[in-house]
Amino acid sequence: MIFKKIVAVDETLLNKNAIERLHSLGEEVAVYYDFPTEETEVIRRIGKADCLLVSFRTPIRQSVLDACPNLRYIGMCCTLYNPESSNVDVLEARRRGITVLGVKDYGDEGVVEYVISELVRLLHGFGGRRWLAESTELTRRKVAIIGLGKTGGMIADALRVFGADLRYYSRTRKPEAEARGVKFQVLDELLADAEIVCTCLPRNNYLLGEHEFGLLGDGKILVNTSVGPTFQVDALKDWLRRCPSSYYLCDATGMGALADELKDFSNVLYTPYISGKSIQSVERLSQKALDNMMNYLSTLS
């Protein structure tokens, strides 16, 4: 059993080998390498496809599902944290009998390398900008992680090697991390206490507002590894203005659509690359996306 038509509606990051293998899983395959800006174009591309592959950037709303009734499978070439944070209307799709699967644990290594790299550069001044008057190591610096899932846990493990003083906030306690010396703190206490804060949250989790930035204060570093903002944008901008000795660090994934809004802030250190994208992560993503498709097809045999 194979699909009648597979459409990769945007730049899914599937590698060349994976694209070639799609032709063994579908009678017809259409692959796009850009990001459609209009829903009408998304609908046109999907057409009568029964299999849709999509990145985290293109919205697949109920209106798209209405216009594409042949869909039976949606493969998200990204992490599916939960339906609420997804660019796909997962609940509506599943209500219609459409299988929706995501992939996970494919780009975390690169994100961890990004966080360590950018912090080391800023703490020592290797990139021409230095956090404090003198160079400092990560050793004994108070580093807080908000969201101790897979990425946050890996960042904590890496920072432990450098001797950082680690603490975290999460909706659920993490006994394994606490056993390794990562201290739990409620959010207000954590923000007031930490020197460096790293947010590792699912998409559309806006945890930091005016109150939280007030607790954070000046002379701090905020690193965002999430998909898009983890804060109220106006509150972040106000913090950056009021706290010139503080820094906001993010890559292209964390920046989202805010590059123009934040470009004039000298204390925003923006890396315009996807830190989770590498030869290795693309290979992991591609293999897991294909595995999901083959497992789905096997249930139809």
Side-chain angles (χ1 to χ4, degrees), residues 53-297:
L53 302 178
V54 62
S55 76
F56 68 88
R57 288 181 56 171
T58 300
I60 305 297
R61 305 184 180 93
Q62 181 175 338
S63 51
V64 174
L65 301 177
D66 288 339
C68 304
N70 291 341
L71 282 175
R72 294 293 174 265
Y73 177 88
I74 299 176
M76 296 178 61
C77 298
C78 56
T79 302
L80 173 54
Y81 292 103
N82 53 57
E84 292 74 25
S85 65
S86 175
N87 57 302
V88 174
D89 190 338
V90 177
L91 296 179
E92 177 60 23
R94 289 176 175 168
R95 188 187 70 79
R96 298 174 184 225
I98 302 171
T99 296
V100 184
L101 298 176
V103 297
K104 60 181 182 179
D105 303 341
Y106 63 91
D108 303 284
E109 288 80 0
V111 175
V112 176
E113 291 178 349
Y114 160 76
V115 171
I116 298 299
S117 169
E118 293 306 295
L119 285 177
V120 168
R121 283 166 57 83
L122 182 57
L123 268 57
H124 286 274
F126 295 155
R129 204 84 61 88
R130 190 164 58 202
W131 176 44
L132 302 176
E134 298 183 56
S135 294
T136 179
E137 301 170 357
L138 283 162
T139 306
R140 294 193 299 277
R141 302 263 55 126
K142 297 178 181 178
V143 183
I145 299 172
I146 300 178
L148 205 64
K150 179 65 182 294
T151 303
M154 289 178 65
I155 291 171
D157 289 341
L159 288 167
R160 186 182 303 108
V161 174
F162 292 92
D165 180 356
L166 295 167
R167 66 282 320 282
Y168 81 99
Y169 170 76
S170 178
R171 289 179 299 177
T172 57
R173 297 286 290 266
K174 310 294 183 182
E176 301 86 356
E178 293 176 27
R180 296 196 297 270
V182 186
K183 177 184 177 182
F184 174 82
Q185 290 182 301
V186 296
L187 185 59
D188 282 8
E189 180 184 341
L190 176 143
L191 293 169
D193 193 33
E195 298 170 303
I196 300 167
V197 175
C198 184
T199 55
C200 307
L201 297 168
R203 189 176 187 173
N204 298 329
N205 277 252
Y206 308 106
L207 210 58
L208 306 180
E210 182 180 349
H211 169 75
E212 288 75 22
F213 280 113
L215 292 171
L216 192 59
D218 199 8
K220 304 295 184 70
I221 300 173
L222 174 63
V223 188
N224 180 21
T225 72
S226 304
V227 177
T230 53
F231 45 78
Q232 296 170 7
V233 176
D234 287 342
L236 172 78
K237 292 162 72 173
D238 184 58
W239 176 68
L240 292 169
R241 292 189 191 99
R242 290 186 296 101
C243 303
S245 298
S246 291
Y247 290 89
Y248 174 58
L249 281 60
C250 69
D251 71 345
T253 303
M255 180 61 79
L258 297 179
D260 286 343
E261 284 196 61
L262 300 181
K263 63 182 174 58
D264 294 328
F265 288 92
S266 61
N267 48 349
V268 172
L269 302 185
Y270 171 43
T271 302
Y273 301 99
I274 299 173
S275 60
K277 180 183 177 182
S278 63
I279 294 171
Q280 295 89 339
S281 68
V282 168
E283 175 61 34
R284 290 189 290 265
L285 169 67
S286 297
Q287 187 57 57
K288 291 183 178 188
L290 289 172
D291 287 345
N292 282 347
M293 297 173 69
M294 291 186 290
N295 288 338
Y296 169 79
L297 289 171

Side-chain angles (χ1 to χ4, degrees), residues 18-71:
I19 297 298
E20 291 175 354
R21 289 181 61 189
L22 290 181
H23 291 274
S24 67
L25 300 178
E27 296 175 10
E28 183 181 352
V29 177
V31 179
Y32 296 88
Y33 296 95
D34 62 349
F35 296 97
T37 57
E38 301 294 332
E39 187 174 271
T40 53
E41 176 61 14
V42 174
I43 292 170
R44 186 195 69 77
R45 292 183 182 189
I46 298 171
K48 295 182 179 180
D50 54 343
C51 173
L52 167 64
L53 302 178
V54 62
S55 76
F56 68 88
R57 288 181 56 171
T58 300
I60 305 297
R61 305 184 180 93
Q62 181 175 338
S63 51
V64 174
L65 301 177
D66 288 339
C68 304
N70 291 341
L71 282 175

